[in-house]
Amino acid sequence: APISRYDHHTCHAATAALTSGWNRCLVITADGRGDGISSTVSVFENNELKRLSESKVDSSLGNFYGGITEAIGFRYGDGEGKTEALAAFGQETKAYQILKKFLKVDGLEVKGKLHPDYRNISVLFEKVLRDFRKEDSSYAAQRVLDEIITELVKNAIRETGINKVVFAGG
């Protein structure tokens, strides 16, 4: 059989769309990086994916969260669940205002000011978060991530009129 190759985020999107049971839906992917892309917004209709937008690695939600994870003492790529769990015990502090400046949503794209190498992100976050408790840094990171994804989804629903949404990524 002939071999077909697909990019990283198309593969993520396909796993969510093809298993959704829906003939038409929005597909949001996000992870650290794959083929130079960190997130996408697509429409799945009649077994076809149409990509509407993509965000680059300097806007990586995965690298953002992984960088925070490493900055507070856990392993990037392994400790993100611990960061998420700690967020439940955190409180709002200035850490939220600091982290909020690193990412924003512009239409259907995430825009960021992050270094493409997560280790450099981790070093930066260690510096800017050193005066905050791990729980409060986790809370801030989780809140920023939640707000970015929510705004991206709301914008995509508004633009397409499709309110069935599936997600995939790392």
Side-chain angles (χ1 to χ4, degrees), residues 26-47:
L26 275 171
V27 185
I28 312 288
T29 69
D31 63 10
R33 70 172 65 208
D35 297 321
I37 299 169
S38 63
S39 63
T40 65
V41 176
S42 302
V43 170
F44 175 72
E45 189 167 17
N46 298 320
N47 282 332

Side-chain angles (χ1 to χ4, degrees), residues 77-94:
D78 183 54
E80 286 78 7
K82 294 173 186 174
T83 303
E84 183 180 17
L86 269 183
F89 299 97
Q91 298 175 4
E92 185 166 335
T93 63
K94 289 184 180 182

Side-chain angles (χ1 to χ4, degrees), residues 35-77:
D35 297 321
I37 299 169
S38 63
S39 63
T40 65
V41 176
S42 302
V43 170
F44 175 72
E45 189 167 17
N46 298 320
N47 282 332
E48 289 190 24
L49 279 167
K50 178 184 175 190
R51 185 172 295 172
L52 303 179
S53 71
E54 57 188 45
S55 301
K56 301 298 179 198
V57 177
D58 65 351
S59 312
S60 171
L61 299 173
N63 283 353
F64 169 79
Y65 208 81
I68 298 292
T69 295
E70 193 166 83
I72 64 172
F74 302 123
R75 261 184 63 210
Y76 178 97

Side-chain angles (χ1 to χ4, degrees), residues 15 36 70-71 77 81 92 113 137:
T15 65
E70 193 166 83
E92 185 166 335
K113 301 175 185 176
S137 296

Side-chain angles (χ1 to χ4, degrees), residues 119-132:
R119 295 224 179 260
N120 290 332
I121 299 168
S122 300
V123 170
L124 172 64
F125 287 159
E126 280 178 27
K127 289 177 185 171
V128 300
L129 297 172
R130 73 174 149 239
D131 295 332
F132 300 99

Side-chain angles (χ1 to χ4, degrees), residues 141-158:
Q142 188 66 46
R143 182 170 170 194
V144 169
L145 182 69
D146 291 351
E147 289 173 354
I148 293 292
I149 290 291
T150 299
E151 186 176 352
L152 185 66
V153 170
K154 284 181 178 181
N155 289 354
I157 290 170
R158 193 177 309 113

